[in-house]
Amino acid sequence: MTAIEKFRSDVERSIKHNRAENNGRYDAGKACDYIQNLFVRNCVVSSGIARAIVFYWRDSYIDRSEDFANEPTSENIDRLCAFLSFLNGADEGEEILSEDDLHELSDAIDDEAETMPLEQLQTLMGKLVDRGAL
Protein backbone atom coordinates (compact mmCIF):
# COMPACT_ATOMS: atom_id res chain seq x y z
CA MET A 1 0.00 0.00 0.00
CA THR A 2 1.43 3.38 -0.99
CA ALA A 3 1.43 6.40 1.31
CA ILE A 4 -1.34 7.97 -0.77
CA GLU A 5 -3.46 4.81 -0.58
CA LYS A 6 -2.93 4.75 3.18
CA PHE A 7 -3.96 8.40 3.41
CA ARG A 8 -7.14 7.64 1.43
CA SER A 9 -7.86 4.69 3.71
CA ASP A 10 -7.37 6.88 6.79
CA VAL A 11 -9.73 9.51 5.34
CA GLU A 12 -12.41 6.91 4.60
CA ARG A 13 -11.95 5.34 8.04
CA SER A 14 -12.33 8.75 9.69
CA ILE A 15 -15.62 9.31 7.83
CA LYS A 16 -16.96 5.95 9.04
CA HIS A 17 -15.77 6.72 12.56
CA ASN A 18 -17.53 10.10 12.42
CA ARG A 19 -20.82 8.38 11.60
CA ALA A 20 -20.36 5.78 14.32
CA GLU A 21 -19.60 8.44 16.95
CA ASN A 22 -22.77 10.33 16.07
CA ASN A 23 -25.19 7.40 16.04
CA GLY A 24 -25.28 7.27 12.24
CA ARG A 25 -25.60 11.02 11.77
CA TYR A 26 -22.71 12.38 9.79
CA ASP A 27 -21.09 15.70 10.76
CA ALA A 28 -19.38 16.84 7.56
CA GLY A 29 -17.78 19.88 9.15
CA LYS A 30 -16.16 17.87 11.92
CA ALA A 31 -15.07 15.17 9.45
CA CYS A 32 -13.47 17.74 7.15
CA ASP A 33 -11.68 19.40 10.09
CA TYR A 34 -10.13 16.04 10.96
CA ILE A 35 -9.23 15.35 7.31
CA GLN A 36 -7.53 18.75 7.02
CA ASN A 37 -5.34 17.98 10.04
CA LEU A 38 -4.61 14.52 8.67
CA PHE A 39 -3.48 16.08 5.37
CA VAL A 40 -1.08 18.48 7.10
CA ARG A 41 0.41 15.63 9.16
CA ASN A 42 0.92 13.49 6.04
CA CYS A 43 2.41 16.20 3.84
CA VAL A 44 6.22 16.21 3.56
CA VAL A 45 6.51 19.85 2.50
CA SER A 46 6.24 22.76 4.89
CA SER A 47 3.13 22.99 7.00
CA GLY A 48 2.51 26.43 5.46
CA ILE A 49 2.13 24.93 1.99
CA ALA A 50 0.09 22.01 3.32
CA ARG A 51 -2.29 24.33 5.18
CA ALA A 52 -2.68 26.66 2.21
CA ILE A 53 -3.58 23.77 -0.08
CA VAL A 54 -5.95 22.01 2.29
CA PHE A 55 -7.75 25.29 3.06
CA TYR A 56 -8.04 25.94 -0.69
CA TRP A 57 -9.45 22.40 -1.14
CA ARG A 58 -11.99 22.93 1.61
CA ASP A 59 -13.04 26.38 0.41
CA SER A 60 -13.21 25.50 -3.29
CA TYR A 61 -14.63 21.99 -3.20
CA ILE A 62 -16.24 21.32 0.17
CA ASP A 63 -17.70 24.50 1.65
CA ARG A 64 -19.18 25.57 -1.71
CA SER A 65 -20.79 22.19 -2.34
CA GLU A 66 -24.51 22.10 -2.92
CA ASP A 67 -24.59 18.93 -0.80
CA PHE A 68 -22.24 19.91 2.03
CA ALA A 69 -23.82 17.37 4.39
CA ASN A 70 -22.33 14.55 2.29
CA GLU A 71 -18.84 15.97 1.80
CA PRO A 72 -16.21 15.01 1.07
CA THR A 73 -17.43 13.03 -1.91
CA SER A 74 -15.24 10.36 -3.45
CA GLU A 75 -14.20 12.82 -6.16
CA ASN A 76 -13.16 15.39 -3.57
CA ILE A 77 -11.20 12.77 -1.65
CA ASP A 78 -9.50 11.88 -4.96
CA ARG A 79 -8.61 15.55 -5.44
CA LEU A 80 -7.17 15.82 -1.93
CA CYS A 81 -5.14 12.66 -2.53
CA ALA A 82 -3.88 14.19 -5.79
CA PHE A 83 -2.75 17.30 -3.92
CA LEU A 84 -0.93 15.14 -1.38
CA SER A 85 0.60 13.07 -4.16
CA PHE A 86 1.82 16.19 -5.94
CA LEU A 87 3.38 17.67 -2.81
CA ASN A 88 4.89 14.39 -1.64
CA GLY A 89 6.29 13.49 -5.08
CA ALA A 90 4.22 10.32 -5.37
CA ASP A 91 2.78 10.96 -8.89
CA GLU A 92 -0.53 9.20 -8.12
CA GLY A 93 -3.77 10.51 -9.62
CA GLU A 94 -2.51 14.03 -10.22
CA GLU A 95 -4.30 14.29 -13.57
CA ILE A 96 -7.48 15.24 -11.68
CA LEU A 97 -5.93 18.57 -10.68
CA SER A 98 -7.37 21.48 -12.63
CA GLU A 99 -5.55 24.53 -13.95
CA ASP A 100 -6.86 26.49 -10.95
CA ASP A 101 -5.57 23.79 -8.61
CA LEU A 102 -2.13 23.95 -10.20
CA HIS A 103 -2.05 27.75 -9.94
CA GLU A 104 -2.96 27.48 -6.26
CA LEU A 105 -0.13 24.99 -5.78
CA SER A 106 2.22 27.37 -7.57
CA ASP A 107 1.18 30.30 -5.35
CA ALA A 108 1.55 28.26 -2.15
CA ILE A 109 4.99 27.03 -3.19
CA ASP A 110 6.08 30.56 -4.19
CA ASP A 111 5.03 31.86 -0.77
CA GLU A 112 7.29 29.33 0.98
CA ALA A 113 10.10 29.09 -1.59
CA GLU A 114 12.69 30.92 0.50
CA THR A 115 12.36 28.48 3.40
CA MET A 116 12.22 25.23 1.39
CA PRO A 117 15.13 22.89 0.72
CA LEU A 118 16.39 23.65 -2.80
CA GLU A 119 15.96 20.09 -4.07
CA GLN A 120 12.33 19.99 -2.91
CA LEU A 121 11.64 23.37 -4.49
CA GLN A 122 13.20 22.29 -7.80
CA THR A 123 11.16 19.09 -7.85
CA LEU A 124 7.86 20.86 -7.22
CA MET A 125 8.59 23.66 -9.66
CA GLY A 126 9.61 21.12 -12.29
CA LYS A 127 6.28 19.34 -11.86
CA LEU A 128 4.45 22.65 -12.30
CA VAL A 129 6.42 23.43 -15.45
CA ASP A 130 5.67 19.95 -16.83
CA ARG A 131 1.96 20.58 -16.28
CA GLY A 132 2.12 24.05 -17.84
CA ALA A 133 1.20 25.89 -14.67
CA LEU A 134 4.14 28.29 -14.82
Side-chain angles (χ1 to χ4, degrees):
M1 176 180 283
T2 68
I4 304 304
E5 290 170 338
K6 181 174 180 340
F7 174 74
R8 171 183 278 291
S9 176
D10 290 346
V11 167
E12 291 169 347
R13 189 176 315 113
S14 74
I15 291 169
K16 288 179 187 176
H17 185 71
N18 179 288
R19 281 194 174 96
E21 278 185 342
N22 295 306
N23 297 321
R25 294 177 60 204
Y26 181 61
D27 183 341
K30 186 176 177 182
C32 288
D33 290 344
Y34 179 83
I35 291 166
Q36 285 180 263
N37 290 326
L38 184 64
F39 181 89
V40 172
R41 287 192 313 264
N42 280 273
C43 199
V44 300
V45 297
S46 77
S47 61
I49 293 172
R51 282 190 198 98
I53 294 305
V54 80
F55 288 134
Y56 164 79
W57 169 80
R58 176 124 182 214
D59 181 59
S60 298
Y61 297 102
I62 305 301
D63 292 343
R64 296 175 192 215
S65 172
E66 292 181 15
D67 191 16
F68 176 79
N70 292 310
E71 289 292 346
T73 62
S74 181
E75 180 180 344
N76 286 332
I77 294 170
D78 289 346
R79 188 172 312 279
L80 189 60
C81 288
F83 279 124
L84 186 62
S85 174
F86 185 96
L87 293 171
N88 286 3
D91 300 324
E92 294 177 41
E94 295 172 13
E95 62 278 350
I96 193 174
L97 298 176
S98 70
E99 188 174 317
D100 288 342
D101 296 339
L102 294 171
H103 286 293
E104 189 66 30
L105 280 162
S106 177
D107 290 346
I109 293 165
D110 284 345
D111 289 346
E112 297 282 325
E114 292 181 13
T115 62
M116 293 175 68
L118 184 57
E119 184 177 313
Q120 188 178 57
L121 177 61
Q122 288 175 327
T123 299
L124 293 173
M125 296 304 270
K127 291 174 79 168
L128 289 168
V129 168
D130 289 346
R131 292 286 305 268
L134 290 180

